[in-house]
Amino acid sequence: MTPPPPPPPPTQGDGARTTPARRPTIKDIARRAGVSESAVSFALNGRPGVSAGTRDRVHRVAEELGWQPNSAARALSGERSGSVGLVLARPAHTLGVESFFLQLVSGVQEVLAARKVALLFQVVEDIDAECAVYRRWWAENRVDGLLVVDPRTDDPRPELLGELGLPTVVIGAPALGADAPHVSTVWADDSAAMASVLAHLHGLGHRRIVHVAGLPGLAHTERRIRSLRTEAERLGLTDTDVRSVTTDYSDAEGAEATRRILDEPEPPTAIVFDNDVMAVAGASVAAERGIQVPRQLSLVAWDDSALCRLTHPSLTALVRDTSGFGRLAAQELLDRLDGGPVRSLQAELPHLEPRESTGPPGERRS
């Protein structure tokens, strides 16, 4: 006689208390399939000792009950977790207003979902906390590989990840070379992109230009600052004429930096912002002060978005396929998990889209 199935989870009725549904166990599968718990374990783990018929019946019952292997059990058996990790060490308040990471993650998720690989995401306060998360995930077998963002100029993460042996793709860094021979990278040429921005503004006649940069210490921030200085020197402009100030990427700091810059005795005729929200915030400050864009002040956003296109006047911006950047990184990580080689992949160079916010410099109203 077939053993009775396990009772269904309690449901909420009128006036009844709600009891959380219980996850099905190996014992539940054994009861419904009419076999021992050891036979279920053998069947689900692909071990010999059960007939083909029993194995098929156990798998069918497990699927009917919605059983999934426990992550701790997978760790003990050495199986893959079916997840990859992404940790972001940035101020949490800056994430909700910046479109870059939303677009990046959408591209990553598009590739991972097609392979039924989950993305485990966590925000932490600093790089030490990020490294602690990596160690914990490794110890718990929580992830099979990692996507690492915001490479630093002095970065402890590649060495740590090499010690842990986790397949890793760093997003935003050129090849790491001998320092991290186990880590793949995907990157865009920030230096060439900055050179195109400065060439555009210089060609319009601007000679006093300020770059409102992102977080100091990030590798791409430093590359953009260095490129700005190199191109300015090549064009015969001094550090006083063309310079950078750093922020946390937020609209609040973007606005505050713009106010300080415009209060200078000789304010710039053009400002380049490292993301879209800071550029929009800067445009708002200019409007508050009655400064006409672009006749009295030109503005450029590093990353294009709907904000840049819908703001009046529309903002000149660097356009790139950020979702495609995420897809490239995710596919490279999956290739690594499948045994592929370490590589350094360069994404398409961002191109400048001139719009209404840039023009020849004019007279500044006091």
Side-chain angles (χ1 to χ4, degrees):
M1 185 171 67
T2 304
T11 58
Q12 184 176 14
D14 294 337
R17 292 193 306 170
T18 301
T19 303
R22 181 173 62 85
R23 293 185 179 90
T25 65
I26 285 180
K27 185 175 183 179
D28 296 329
I29 298 171
R31 185 186 302 117
R32 177 171 290 193
V35 298
S36 66
E37 292 180 34
S38 59
V40 172
S41 179
F42 289 161
L44 293 176
N45 289 296
R47 295 164 57 189
V50 293
S51 67
T54 297
R55 192 182 307 276
D56 289 343
R57 185 163 71 254
V58 167
H59 279 280
R60 185 173 64 253
V61 170
E63 184 175 354
E64 290 171 355
L65 293 177
W67 177 86
Q68 293 292 332
N70 180 273
S71 59
R74 284 198 305 267
L76 291 174
S77 66
E79 294 180 21
R80 283 191 177 184
S81 69
S83 301
V84 298
L86 172 60
V87 181
L88 190 60
R90 279 200 187 186
H93 71 274
T94 66
L95 302 182
V97 295
E98 190 176 9
S99 63
F100 174 83
F101 275 105
L102 294 177
Q103 295 177 46
L104 182 76
V105 171
S106 72
V108 167
Q109 187 60 31
E110 183 179 342
V111 171
L112 297 182
R115 282 276 297 268
K116 295 182 171 55
V117 174
L119 179 64
L120 188 58
F121 178 69
Q122 187 163 339
V123 178
V124 295
E125 60 184 15
D126 55 34
I127 199 74
D128 291 335
E130 181 176 344
C131 290
V133 171
Y134 293 149
R135 292 188 184 94
R136 176 167 54 82
W137 282 354
W138 171 81
E140 297 174 354
N141 196 35
R142 296 289 299 278
V143 296
D144 301 317
L146 293 165
L147 294 167
V148 175
V149 297
D150 289 343
R152 265 69 171 175
T153 51
D154 185 14
D155 202 329
R157 294 171 298 175
E159 182 179 356
L160 168 64
L161 297 170
E163 294 172 1
L164 299 180
L166 283 169
T168 300
V169 175
V170 173
I171 301 173
L176 299 176
D179 293 336
H182 51 279
V183 176
S184 285
T185 61
V186 297
W187 59 288
D189 193 342
D190 291 304
S191 297
M194 178 60 83
S196 71
V197 172
L198 196 58
H200 172 69
L201 293 173
H202 187 269
L204 290 172
H206 294 277
R207 300 297 181 265
R208 296 196 308 276
I209 303 167
V210 173
H211 167 217
V212 179
L215 289 163
L218 297 185
H220 67 264
T221 300
E222 299 303 322
R223 284 198 303 272
R224 295 174 191 180
I225 292 173
R226 284 197 305 270
S227 177
L228 185 79
R229 290 173 178 167
T230 299
E231 289 302 305
E233 183 178 349
R234 187 181 66 81
L235 294 170
L237 304 175
T238 68
D239 290 346
T240 304
D241 299 324
V242 179
R243 57 192 174 82
S244 300
V245 296
T246 56
T247 68
D248 67 357
Y249 282 112
S250 70
D251 56 329
E253 286 210 10
E256 181 56 32
T258 304
R259 293 187 186 97
R260 292 197 306 270
I261 291 165
L262 295 179
D263 284 339
E264 294 173 355
E266 285 193 285
T269 60
I271 305 178
V272 180
F273 296 89
D274 252 5
N275 67 12
D276 54 345
V277 295
M278 290 200 298
V280 172
S284 296
V285 170
E288 290 169 4
R289 297 190 173 200
I291 298 173
Q292 298 177 22
V293 175
R295 191 174 72 82
Q296 296 173 308
L297 179 67
S298 285
L299 304 176
V300 178
W302 188 271
D303 284 317
D304 190 29
S305 71
L307 284 176
C308 296
R309 296 187 293 273
L310 296 175
T311 297
H312 181 72
S314 59
L315 296 175
T316 294
L318 277 168
V319 178
R320 62 175 165 181
D321 183 4
T322 305
S323 294
F325 201 34
R327 290 193 295 271
L328 180 66
Q331 188 57 59
E332 175 63 15
L333 182 55
L334 293 181
D335 289 346
R336 289 290 314 283
L337 293 177
D338 291 339
V342 171
R343 298 188 297 177
S344 178
L345 303 177
Q346 184 175 354
E348 181 181 357
L349 179 68
H351 70 273
L352 190 67
E353 184 72 29
R355 298 195 181 108
E356 298 169 341
S357 68
T358 50
E363 291 294 324
R364 178 70 58 81
R365 197 166 54 192
S366 60

